[in-house]
């Protein structure tokens, strides 16, 4: 941490030395280029992801980023990664179509133990049930119609519970506002790409408001047989009588999937980068969510907030990356509520107590329709027919309490504790063991896939939190945050086993974190500078025998900087930068060599983005974006790597009057040959998801 501390001191000194003469970049852009979507102030924003106590009083004692409506409008993103690249510490690895691998103050998370480490939400409700995560969860959020995206960097288990180990990404969807005009947006680009967005609001005769947002999209895919069709709908109803808000979101994604291209620097080859070695692969996903939020004053200063909800989802996914290419079919139905009661006990003390509860019924089937290609061993151990067929009933109960103390106007303290219990009741619908579907044995010692017998599993986790915020100068804050995150084993890690493993004795992953931050603003600049150190234990992984195990450890240290400077009255510069080291800290051996002390693969030390904006008049805005991805290793022994890349994107929008506006987006301006993700496999060698070539998109929008 000595090097990190030195960087922290130097950067903070340079920021404090900046001038103080004009508006911050975000404020100036919003003043000169107003958006139809209200945008919260970047420092004083009341955000639902942050602590409800911080929103009601002092500042949030942690690392919080907001991608606001103005930026989302300019981006009109085709993939959530294009928005999250503006968040320090977020390094989302884009896959084909709408797929991605998450990274938030972490390496790119992949394999066993990956999903469920970053909590993905919309309107403060998790997108997927606890214990049944999907690595691509954000494709179920209606981010195309979002008013903003809120990100907590670092563990937030006390605030949000299961899955918030590395942080939280919360998509804030459309709200019900009577003053909102109807807006139609249409965009077209190369490879038969088009998008259509429609938003509108209507007042009922009794004064209630119904808002709707529809997003349609099609992408032919720049790689062979890699396109998708996507539809999303959000409805929001606000009652004029009670003020209650009812929300519905439905999504549908039908996607052809492209796999890795293989070979050293294959992403540089013009023919290979457009090829698809898995032309039959696909992923079809449907989701729906319904919630009802209400707030009631209970008397004596107490206030109740409660949001009951139901969820439904199903997915069919051809696992093209596995031998035999089995088909996975999953589904879930869940219902629950989030509730809290808060009150001011005194002028300096505010307390909130709450309870989150959820029940889920989920299922998984995996089957193979054709014999596996390759060796006799693969054909014999990967039989045609059903591999898994099980159901899991789960129940989650999670009480929590938070207290905020303000000993002085400058100092605020926040303390919190959450206890979460999660139970799985697993029902195997096939014969137990590693046989074929009909009970016959596979050769070469048995079938690869092993089905555990019926069982129940229980997990309990504590999550304490303590934070301090101190305003050492007007508009300048110092914060220190101690937090604990956790991740219970997911159902697939417990019950989709292989080879001789009939029972997975897994513990919950745990992460301890300390962070120190400075943030502030002046008329000419704004910043947030954070140094952090984290230690993760009981990391779940798959060993060389294909067993799911826990017990690995990793360490994570880094510095993050968000900086905005007003260079001139109409010119501004925004920077989101991260430097971090993620290392293995356990005694595992790989190919007879220790991994302890090695850098975790898929974890660049340096990455981030810089945006130069020009607002020439009240009707125009231009932005030049530089994205930097540093070098990283692609294997745990640090023997293979990817050199990194730099991308330039140019975006421009202009209002034409009478409600019309146009926009252009030129992505990958220099037509860089790069990889969205690089990996190394002992079976295939170097492999890549090639990045997209230069592409120009045009948009027309109408307000009426």
């Amino acid at each position: 941490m000595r090097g990190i501390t030195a960087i922290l001191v130097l950067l903070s000194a340079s920021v404090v030395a900046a001038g103080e003469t004009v508006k911050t970049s975000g404020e100036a852009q919003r003043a000169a280029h107003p958006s139809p979507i209200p945008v919260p102030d970047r420092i004083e924003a009341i955000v639902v992801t942050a602590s409800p106590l911080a929103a009601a009083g002092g500042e949030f004692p942690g690392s919080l980023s907001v991608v606001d409506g103005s930026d989302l409008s300019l981006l009109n993103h085709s993939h959530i990664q294009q928005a999250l690249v503006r968040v320090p510490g977020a390094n989302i690895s884009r896959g084909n179509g709408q797929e991605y691998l998450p990274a938030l103050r972490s390496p790119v998370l992949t394999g066993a133990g990956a999903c469920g480490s970053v909590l993905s939400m919309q309107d403060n409700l998790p997108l997927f049930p606890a214990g049944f995560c999907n690595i691509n969860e954000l494709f179920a959020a209606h981010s195309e119609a979002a008013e903003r995206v809120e990100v907590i960097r670092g563990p937030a288990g006390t605030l949000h519970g299961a899955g918030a180990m590395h942080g939280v990404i919360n998509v804030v969807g459309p709200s019900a506002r009577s003053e909102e005009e109807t807006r139609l947006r249409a965009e077209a680009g190369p490879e038969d790409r088009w998008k259509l967005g429609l938003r509108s609001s209507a007042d009922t005769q009794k004064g209630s408001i119904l808002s709707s947002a529809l997003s349609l999209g099609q992408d032919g895919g720049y790689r062979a047989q890699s396109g998708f069709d996507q539809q999303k709908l959000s409805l929001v109803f606000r009652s004029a009588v009670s003020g209650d808000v009812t929300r519905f979101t439905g999504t549908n994604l039908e996607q052809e999937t492209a796999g890795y291209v293989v070979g050293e620097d294959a992403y540089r080859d013009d023919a290979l980068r457009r090829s698809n070695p898995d032309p039959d692969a696909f992923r079809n996903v449907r989701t729906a969510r319904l919630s009802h939020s209400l707030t009631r004053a209970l008397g004596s200063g107490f206030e109740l907030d409660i949001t009951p909800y139901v969820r439904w989802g199903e997915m069919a996914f051809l696992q093209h990356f596995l031998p035999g290419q089995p088909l996975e079919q999953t589904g879930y139905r869940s219902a629950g509520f989030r509730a809290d009661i808060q009150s001011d006990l005194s002028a300096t003390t505010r307390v909130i107590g709450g309870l989150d509860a959820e029940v889920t019924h989920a299922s998984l089937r995996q089957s193979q329709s054709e014999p596996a290609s390759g060796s006799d061993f693969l054909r014999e151990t990967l039989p045609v027919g059903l591999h898994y067929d099980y159901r899991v009933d789960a129940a989650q109960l999670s009480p929590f309490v938070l207290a905020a103390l303000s000993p002085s106007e400058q100092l605020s303290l926040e303390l919190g504790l959450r206890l979460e219990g999660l139970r799985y009741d697993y029902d195997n619908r096939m014969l137990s063991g590693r046989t074929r579907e009909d009970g016959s044995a596979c050769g070469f010692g048995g079938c690869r896939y092993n089905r555990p017998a019926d069982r129940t599993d229980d997990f309990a986790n504590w999550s304490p939190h303590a934070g301090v915020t101190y305003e050492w100068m007007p508009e300048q804050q110092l914060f220190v945050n101690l937090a604990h995150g956790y991740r219970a084993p997911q159902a697939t890690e417990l019950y989709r086993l292989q080879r001789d493993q009939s029972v997975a004795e897994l513990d919950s992953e745990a992460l301890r974190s300390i962070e120190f931050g400075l943030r502030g603003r002046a008329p000419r600049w704004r910043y947030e500078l954070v140094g952090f150190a984290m230690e993760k234990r009981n990391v779940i992984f798959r060993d060389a025998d294909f067993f799911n195990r826990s017990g690995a450890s990793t360490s994570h240290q880094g510095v993050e900087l968000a900086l905005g400077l007003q260079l001139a009255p109409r010119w501004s510069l925004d920077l989101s930068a991260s430097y971090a080291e993620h290392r293995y800290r356990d005694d595992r051996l790989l190919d007879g060599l220790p991994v302890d002390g090695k850098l975790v693969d898929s974890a660049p030390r340096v990455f981030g983005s810089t945006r130069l904006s020009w607002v020439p008049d009240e009707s125009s805005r231009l932005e030049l974006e530089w994205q930097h991805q540093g070098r990283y290793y692609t294997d745990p022994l640090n023997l293979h790597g990817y050199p990194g890349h730099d991308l330039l994107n140019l975006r421009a929008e202009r209002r034409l009057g009478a409600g019309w506006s146009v926009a252009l987006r030129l992505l990958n301006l220099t037509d860089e040959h790069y990889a969205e993700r690089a990996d190394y496999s002992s079976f295939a060698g170097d492999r890549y998801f090639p990045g997209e070539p230069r592409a120009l998109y045009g948009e027309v929008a109408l307000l009426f």
Side-chain angles (χ1 to χ4, degrees):
M1 286 290 290
R2 292 181 180 176
I4 292 173
T5 302
I7 295 173
L8 190 64
V9 171
L10 290 173
L11 286 174
S12 60
S14 65
V15 170
V16 173
E20 306 182 5
T21 57
V22 296
K23 292 182 179 180
T24 67
S25 63
E27 291 169 335
Q29 288 173 9
R30 289 193 291 276
H33 191 81
S35 167
I37 301 174
V39 178
D41 187 279
R42 293 176 185 258
I43 294 294
E44 295 180 347
I46 297 177
V47 291
V48 297
T49 308
S51 166
L53 301 178
E59 292 290 349
F60 176 59
S63 302
L64 175 67
S65 299
V66 177
V67 183
D68 64 30
S70 176
D71 285 347
L72 291 174
S73 178
L74 178 68
L75 288 167
N76 194 15
H77 60 274
S78 300
H79 192 286
I80 191 64
Q81 181 268 349
Q82 295 169 326
L84 293 178
V85 74
R86 297 172 180 247
V87 175
N91 187 33
I92 306 301
S93 179
R94 186 174 176 177
N96 180 75
Q98 293 299 301
E99 297 173 348
Y100 70 93
L101 295 174
L104 186 58
R105 232 177 237 186
S106 70
V108 172
L109 300 168
T110 182
C115 73
S117 297
V118 176
L119 182 60
S120 301
M121 303 192 299
Q122 179 166 331
D123 298 313
N124 221 30
L125 293 176
L127 292 170
F128 281 74
F132 303 93
C133 65
N134 188 305
I135 196 67
N136 306 277
E137 289 179 344
L138 284 168
F139 58 32
H142 197 173
S143 61
E144 294 81 358
E147 296 195 351
R148 62 186 184 273
V149 178
E150 304 168 351
V151 181
I152 293 179
R153 312 185 317 265
T158 309
L159 294 171
H160 296 287
M165 184 168 63
H166 279 283
V168 177
I169 300 173
N170 183 42
V171 174
V172 180
S175 60
R177 288 195 303 269
S178 59
E179 70 274 13
E180 183 174 16
E181 299 176 279
T182 298
R183 182 174 189 180
L184 176 67
R185 306 180 72 175
E187 181 186 82
E191 315 296 347
D192 297 322
R193 294 170 178 159
W194 61 265
K195 291 194 302 181
L196 184 68
L198 178 64
R199 294 188 60 167
S200 65
S201 291
D203 293 350
T204 69
Q205 292 181 348
K206 296 182 179 180
S208 298
I209 303 169
L210 175 63
S211 294
S212 62
L214 175 67
S215 300
L216 308 176
Q218 176 183 289
D219 188 334
Y222 79 100
R223 299 177 63 188
Q225 296 177 260
S226 64
F228 67 83
D229 291 285
Q230 181 173 257
Q231 304 86 38
K232 298 182 179 181
L233 173 66
S234 290
L235 302 173
V236 186
F237 177 79
R238 182 184 297 276
S239 170
V241 177
S242 64
D244 296 356
V245 178
T246 303
R247 293 183 174 90
F248 170 81
T249 299
T251 71
N252 178 60
L253 173 65
E254 297 181 1
Q255 174 176 300
E256 299 175 297
T257 299
Y260 287 106
V261 296
V262 178
E264 186 176 359
D265 294 337
Y267 64 93
R268 298 183 182 276
D269 186 287
D270 287 331
L272 285 177
R273 67 199 294 242
R274 286 188 172 269
S275 68
N276 180 7
D278 301 296
D280 297 325
F282 68 90
R283 183 192 297 270
N284 296 333
V285 188
R286 297 173 179 86
T287 68
R289 297 180 302 279
L290 178 65
S291 66
H292 183 80
S293 300
L294 59 90
T295 300
R296 296 289 185 271
L298 301 180
S300 302
F302 288 90
E303 185 177 88
L304 170 68
D305 291 308
I306 184 169
T307 302
Y309 61 87
V310 293
R311 296 194 208 89
W312 169 87
E314 63 179 21
M315 180 180 73
F317 173 44
L318 188 69
Q319 299 175 92
H320 56 90
F321 46 86
L322 295 178
Q325 296 194 334
L327 174 66
E328 175 189 291
Q329 297 170 286
T330 57
Y332 63 83
R333 301 190 303 273
S334 65
F337 66 84
R338 293 197 152 195
D340 65 70
I341 297 176
Q342 51 186 299
S343 177
D344 292 319
L345 300 184
S346 69
T348 60
T349 304
R350 187 172 180 84
V351 175
I352 177 172
L355 179 67
D356 298 341
E358 180 176 276
V359 292
T360 302
H361 176 78
S363 63
L364 181 145
R365 287 170 57 94
Q366 178 177 304
S367 60
Q368 185 175 311
S369 60
E370 300 291 339
S373 60
S375 65
D376 292 339
F377 174 80
L378 289 177
R379 285 193 294 272
E380 182 63 25
T381 58
L382 300 172
V384 172
L386 273 176
H387 299 158
Y388 302 104
D389 185 2
Y390 65 76
R391 297 178 182 175
V392 179
D393 291 322
Q396 177 198 36
L397 194 64
S398 185
F400 66 92
V401 62
L402 293 166
L405 312 175
S406 301
S408 68
E409 291 185 1
Q410 291 78 32
L411 180 65
S412 62
L413 311 175
E414 183 171 297
L415 303 172
L417 181 65
R418 178 184 289 261
L419 171 62
E420 181 164 290
L422 179 62
R423 162 167 281 209
Y424 298 115
D425 187 355
Y426 159 78
D427 177 20
N428 179 30
R429 313 279 290 181
M430 296 179 63
L431 293 171
S432 300
R434 52 184 303 198
T435 66
R436 291 186 173 90
E437 181 181 359
D438 61 6
S440 60
C442 294
F444 295 94
C447 304
R448 170 177 291 190
Y449 302 111
N450 196 338
R451 298 173 292 274
D454 296 354
R455 57 180 290 130
T456 60
D457 291 278
D458 295 275
F459 300 92
N461 292 285
W462 292 91
S463 183
H465 152 74
V468 179
T469 304
Y470 179 66
E471 190 168 4
W472 56 283
M473 289 177 58
E475 307 287 358
Q476 310 297 318
Q477 294 179 347
L478 161 71
F479 68 87
V480 179
N481 191 34
L482 301 174
H484 181 274
Y486 59 90
R487 174 192 180 275
Q490 304 295 289
T492 55
E493 296 160 357
L494 291 166
Y495 309 125
R496 191 158 62 172
L497 304 180
Q498 297 191 23
R499 301 193 179 181
D500 286 329
Q501 189 176 29
S502 297
V503 176
E505 299 289 352
L506 301 178
D507 296 322
S508 295
E509 296 183 347
L511 186 147
R512 295 182 295 181
S513 168
I514 181 172
E515 57 183 323
F516 166 81
L518 295 168
R519 62 183 166 218
R521 63 179 180 180
R524 192 182 174 202
W525 48 264
R526 56 177 167 77
Y527 72 97
E528 183 178 72
L529 179 63
V530 183
F532 67 88
M534 305 189 301
E535 183 181 65
K536 186 158 65 169
R537 296 183 178 274
N538 295 327
V539 177
I540 295 173
F541 65 98
R542 179 164 288 174
D543 67 12
D545 295 320
F546 288 72
F547 284 20
N548 289 344
R549 298 190 181 280
S550 58
S553 299
T554 54
S555 65
H556 313 264
Q557 300 177 349
V559 175
E560 297 164 351
L561 174 64
L563 177 64
L565 293 174
Q566 195 70 36
L567 304 176
R570 295 189 179 273
W571 290 87
S572 61
L573 185 72
D574 290 272
L575 170 68
S576 301
S578 304
Y579 176 89
E581 291 189 356
H582 309 276
R583 294 187 181 273
Y584 294 105
R585 296 297 185 190
D586 56 75
D587 57 2
R588 284 179 293 158
L589 299 178
L590 186 63
D591 296 332
L593 298 174
V595 299
D596 185 37
K598 297 287 194 301
L599 289 168
V600 179
D601 43 302
S602 299
R605 284 188 174 97
V606 180
F607 61 89
S609 68
T610 301
R611 285 90 60 193
L612 178 65
S613 296
W614 178 41
V615 184
D617 55 53
E618 293 184 357
S619 299
S620 306
R621 179 182 176 186
L622 289 88
E623 178 188 88
L624 178 64
E625 179 185 53
W626 168 39
Q627 296 182 17
H628 174 70
Q629 179 75 277
R631 172 181 171 81
Y632 59 86
Y633 292 109
T634 55
D635 70 299
L637 294 176
N638 297 174
L639 301 176
H640 305 85
Y642 173 69
H645 60 258
D646 295 278
L647 301 176
L648 292 176
N649 301 314
L650 183 63
R651 301 179 177 94
E653 59 181 3
R654 180 170 178 81
R655 293 200 306 275
L656 302 178
W660 288 94
S661 65
V662 294
L664 291 175
R665 301 174 184 87
L666 183 57
L667 306 184
N668 193 1
L669 179 65
T670 59
D671 202 19
E672 177 80 6
H673 285 42
Y674 72 102
E676 292 281 4
R677 171 166 168 74
D679 189 25
Y680 181 83
S681 165
S682 58
F683 298 102
D686 294 304
R687 53 186 190 172
Y688 310 90
F689 275 117
E692 295 192 12
R694 180 170 49 225
L696 177 65
Y697 297 84
E699 175 195 310
V700 177
L702 174 63
L703 286 172
F704 56 92

